[in-house]
Amino acid sequence: IRANLAGVNLSNSNLNKVSFIGADLSNTNFKRANLNWAVLRMVSLRGSDLSDGKLIKVNLRKADLTGANLSRSNLSGAYLREANLTNANLNEADLTGAIMTGAVFCLTTMPDGTTNNSDC
């Protein structure tokens, strides 16, 4: 059974090391949340707000981040392999050491403010 937390307000929450594998987290508010070491494999985060968040070493493999706001988040060491970052906002995010092999970039705002359309 996949958890459905679509639209829930989890802003400022401490979700360190939580596991939401395959969950529907669409349009969920994670603003300023601590998701360090969380396992979010194959989740839907479409339209979710993860801005100003702590996502160090988070596992977002095959996550759908279409339209998600990750601006100013710390994603250092994050695992974003095969994640869909279409129309996602990564402006001023820290991606130091992030693994992004196979990630999809289309209309994606990168940390430096440029737009990456390499997979459109």
Side-chain angles (χ1 to χ4, degrees), residues 2-118:
R2 292 184 178 188
N4 183 346
L5 296 170
V8 174
N9 183 0
L10 295 171
S11 62
N12 298 302
S13 295
N14 183 2
L15 300 166
N16 189 48
K17 297 184 181 178
V18 72
S19 179
F20 283 127
I21 297 171
D24 183 359
L25 303 169
S26 302
N27 300 305
T28 298
N29 183 355
F30 288 105
K31 188 170 185 140
R32 293 184 300 278
N34 175 359
L35 288 157
N36 291 340
W37 296 91
V39 180
L40 302 171
R41 281 193 334 259
M42 299 178 288
V43 300
S44 175
L45 286 158
R46 293 177 71 90
S48 293
D49 186 356
L50 295 118
S51 61
D52 300 298
K54 296 176 184 171
L55 293 105
I56 297 169
K57 298 281 188 176
V58 67
N59 184 337
L60 287 160
R61 182 173 187 182
K62 294 187 178 182
D64 185 355
L65 292 154
T66 301
N69 182 3
L70 295 136
S71 61
R72 299 173 307 282
S73 289
N74 186 345
L75 289 148
S76 56
Y79 192 68
L80 289 152
R81 186 176 180 154
E82 301 174 72
N84 185 349
L85 294 162
T86 299
N87 205 32
N89 182 358
L90 296 166
N91 194 40
E92 297 182 37
D94 182 353
L95 293 169
T96 305
I99 297 168
M100 304 180 87
T101 309
V104 176
F105 296 96
C106 180
L107 302 172
T108 308
T109 304
M110 299 305 287
D112 63 1
T114 60
T115 301
N116 185 338
N117 288 319
S118 60

